[in-house]
Amino acid sequence: MKKKLNIAVLGSGFMGKAHSNAWLMAGKFFDVPFEPVLKINFGTDMELTKDFADRWGYEEITADWEEAVNRKDVDVIDIVTPTYIHKEMALAAANAGKHIFCEKPCAVTYAQAKAMADAARNAGIVHYLNHNYRRVPAVAYAKEMIERGKLGTIYHWIGTYLQDWIMDPNFPLTWHLQDKFAGGGPLFDLGSHSIDLARFLVGEIESVTAVSQTFTGERFLPGRGAATFASGESLNSEKGQVTVDDACFLMAEFENGALGSIGTTRFAGGRKNHNTFEVYGSKGSLCFNFDQMNELQFCDMTEPDADQGFKTISVTNAVHPYCSAWWAPGHVIGYENTFFHAVADFLNAVSTGKTIEPNFFDGEKITRTLEAAKLSNREGRKVKVAEINA
Ligand code: SOE
C-alpha cells in the first residue's frame, strides 16, 4: 500500500478540473511514490464548489482557504485561483511547511513572485509552477535534442501564443482583463508560457522590447444578463475599464547571444490555443505547434544542401519522454496528459526532496521579464530584465 498524500486544491475552475483529474490519474500510468487523496476543495461559491467536489470525489469543501492550508492532515497545497492571490496563499502554505503545486503565471508582480520564491526557499518545501507545456513529450524531447547538440549554437527563438476567446466586444470584464488581478493580459497569461519555454530551451533573457495594444477598452461587468458565453460568463448592464493588454509582441535578446521574438494575443481569430515555437541553430532547426502536440518538425542542417528539409518526428515512441507510460507509437496523447506528467514528477520530488522545475525561482525570473516587457511598452524603449527591482 502506498502512503497517502492529502491534497487541498484551492480553486475549482478550468484548472481545478485539469489538476483534480491529474491527481487522480497520474498513478494509474506512472509509478508514483504516493497515493494522492483529494482531501479538500476551497471555493467562494459553495453551490458550485459542492458540485465540483462531488464530481471529483473530494472528501470536504471549505469557503476558508486559510483553514485548508493550516490543516494538520493536508500535505500539499494546489493553487488554481486567479493570479493576484497566489502570493498570499503560497506564503501561508510555505509557512505551514506544505509543499506547493501552483498554476501559472506565478504572480501579478515581480515583488510578489520574489516573495513566493523567498518563502519557498526559507521553508525548504517542494514548490512547482505549472508551466505544463514543458511536459508535452515533444517539448521535453526538443530539450533532449538541444542538449545532445542537434541544433548547435542557437541563433533564434520565435514563439507565438495566439487565442481568440475575448474578440467579441460583449465578452465581459472578467478578472483576466484587470491588471490588479491578472498582472497583464496575454502577455502574462500566454507570454509567461512562451518565456518559460524560451528559458527552458534557449536560455535566460537579458532584455526585451515590447509593444502592446488593447483593442476593446471597456467591457460589460460580469453579472446575470442576456448573453452567456462558452466560459459560462454572463453580462451586467454596467461597463468597466479593461486594464490589460489584448495583444503584446516582444523582441528578446538572450544572455547567450540568441535573438528572439514572442507574440501573444487574444485577438487572433480562429486560433483557440495556438502555442508554437521555432528554434534555429547552426546545426539544425526545430518547430513545435501545440495544435499537433505529438509532433516535432526537425531540419538537420548537417545534411548535404540538396537533402535539407523539415521532417516530422512523431514523439510517441516509448523512448521519448513520458511516452513509455502511454500507448503504442502513433497513438496520440492530449492536453490533460501534460498535467499527469507534472503530478507524477511532483510526487517523485516530494518523495526524494529533489527540486522540480519550473518552480517559484523560475516564476521569479519569468515575472521579472514580464514586468520588463510592461515597462518597455510604457516607456517605448528596450529594457534590461535586471533593471526591474522588487
Ligand atoms: C487561457 O488563456 C488559458 O487557459 C491559459 O491560462 C492556460 O495557461 C493555457 O494553457 C490555455 O489557455
Side-chain angles (χ1 to χ4, degrees):
M1 275 277 279
K2 280 181 191 164
K3 185 173 179 292
K4 292 187 192 301
L5 199 72
N6 290 334
I7 320 291
V9 176
L10 311 182
S12 53
F14 171 16
M15 284 304 142
K17 182 156 103 178
H19 288 216
S20 303
N21 187 30
W23 290 119
L24 293 179
M25 293 301 291
K28 306 277 183 214
F29 293 91
F30 294 89
D31 290 329
V32 293
F34 297 105
E35 182 191 334
V37 175
L38 294 178
K39 192 76 188 167
I40 187 162
N41 182 242
F42 155 77
T44 46
D45 178 326
M46 282 300 99
E47 212 179 307
L48 289 179
T49 306
K50 188 174 178 323
D51 282 354
F52 176 84
D54 286 348
R55 177 178 292 263
W56 290 100
Y58 283 84
E59 290 179 9
E60 295 170 51
I61 60 172
T62 179
D64 177 358
W65 65 261
E66 283 177 291
E67 185 237 312
V69 166
N70 288 307
R71 275 172 64 140
K72 293 257 174 313
D73 58 354
V74 163
D75 305 298
V76 172
I77 305 300
D78 181 357
I79 303 173
V80 286
T81 55
T83 318
Y84 75 99
I85 201 169
H86 286 186
K87 182 205 133 192
E88 220 180 310
M89 289 174 164
L91 261 56
N95 286 339
K98 307 294 166 77
H99 302 299
I100 306 174
F101 190 106
C102 183
E103 219 3 88
K104 47 57 63 178
C106 189
V108 298
T109 61
Y110 171 49
Q112 284 194 356
K114 186 173 184 320
M116 290 164 75
D118 290 345
R121 187 184 293 107
N122 293 338
I125 51 154
V126 172
H127 45 114
Y128 168 68
L129 182 66
N130 190 37
H131 283 293
N132 57 309
Y133 296 103
R134 279 196 194 196
R135 287 179 163 77
V136 171
V139 176
Y141 190 58
K143 172 81 171 171
E144 282 187 19
M145 289 179 74
I146 290 171
E147 281 180 347
R148 262 192 283 131
K150 297 289 278 183
L151 268 66
T153 304
I154 294 182
Y155 299 130
H156 297 302
W157 166 272
I158 300 175
T160 57
Y161 203 153
L162 318 177
Q163 296 185 341
D164 71 357
W165 54 282
I166 60 162
M167 282 179 75
D168 183 342
N170 283 327
F171 186 89
L173 187 64
T174 60
W175 69 268
H176 310 86
L177 304 179
Q178 299 178 57
D179 192 76
K180 63 182 176 195
F181 296 134
L187 170 64
F188 268 58
D189 187 20
L190 309 179
S192 62
H193 277 311
S194 201
I195 290 169
D196 177 62
L197 292 181
R199 292 183 60 248
F200 182 50
L201 296 173
V202 179
E204 292 299 341
I205 295 174
E206 189 172 80
S207 73
V208 290
T209 310
V211 283
S212 73
Q213 186 60 268
T214 303
F215 302 111
T216 305
E218 278 196 332
R219 289 181 183 268
F220 290 108
L221 302 179
R224 306 235 172 270
T228 304
F229 295 81
S231 59
E233 303 289 345
S234 57
L235 299 179
N236 200 317
S237 55
E238 274 173 68
K239 280 193 164 182
Q241 202 68 36
V242 172
T243 48
V244 300
D245 50 294
D246 283 334
C248 181
F249 289 73
L250 62 90
M251 286 176 289
E253 286 170 305
F254 291 79
E255 285 177 4
N256 60 14
L259 196 61
S261 67
I262 291 175
T264 64
T265 178
R266 290 171 173 156
F267 274 69
R271 297 301 190 192
K272 304 302 170 190
N273 195 40
H274 193 66
N275 181 5
T276 73
F277 63 75
E278 302 185 353
V279 198
Y280 296 99
S282 55
K283 290 191 184 161
S285 312
L286 267 178
C287 302
F288 170 77
N289 173 0
F290 186 70
D291 294 325
Q292 277 90 43
M293 65 169 277
N294 290 270
E295 295 176 357
L296 264 185
Q297 305 291 326
F298 176 61
C299 175
D300 185 347
M301 294 299 289
T302 64
E303 287 194 344
D305 264 9
D307 296 341
Q308 282 170 12
F310 280 92
K311 69 172 180 183
T312 301
I313 305 171
S314 172
V315 189
T316 55
N317 195 298
V319 298
H320 290 131
Y322 302 107
C323 291
S324 63
W326 296 110
W327 322 115
H331 295 68
V332 293
I333 61 165
Y335 176 66
E336 69 272 30
N337 301 76
T338 64
F339 293 79
F340 298 7
H341 301 164
V343 161
D345 290 344
F346 179 84
L347 293 174
N348 281 315
V350 169
S351 152
T352 58
K354 284 197 187 138
T355 305
I356 174 173
E357 291 173 349
N359 52 42
F360 290 163
F361 305 146
D362 298 284
E364 184 181 345
K365 290 182 179 146
I366 295 167
T367 316
R368 199 177 194 189
T369 311
L370 293 169
E371 263 200 40
K374 273 171 104 170
L375 181 64
S376 166
N377 173 61
R378 221 166 35 239
E379 297 192 349
R381 66 177 176 93
K382 179 163 102 178
V383 171
K384 282 202 182 299
V385 174
E387 279 183 48
I388 305 299
N389 295 310

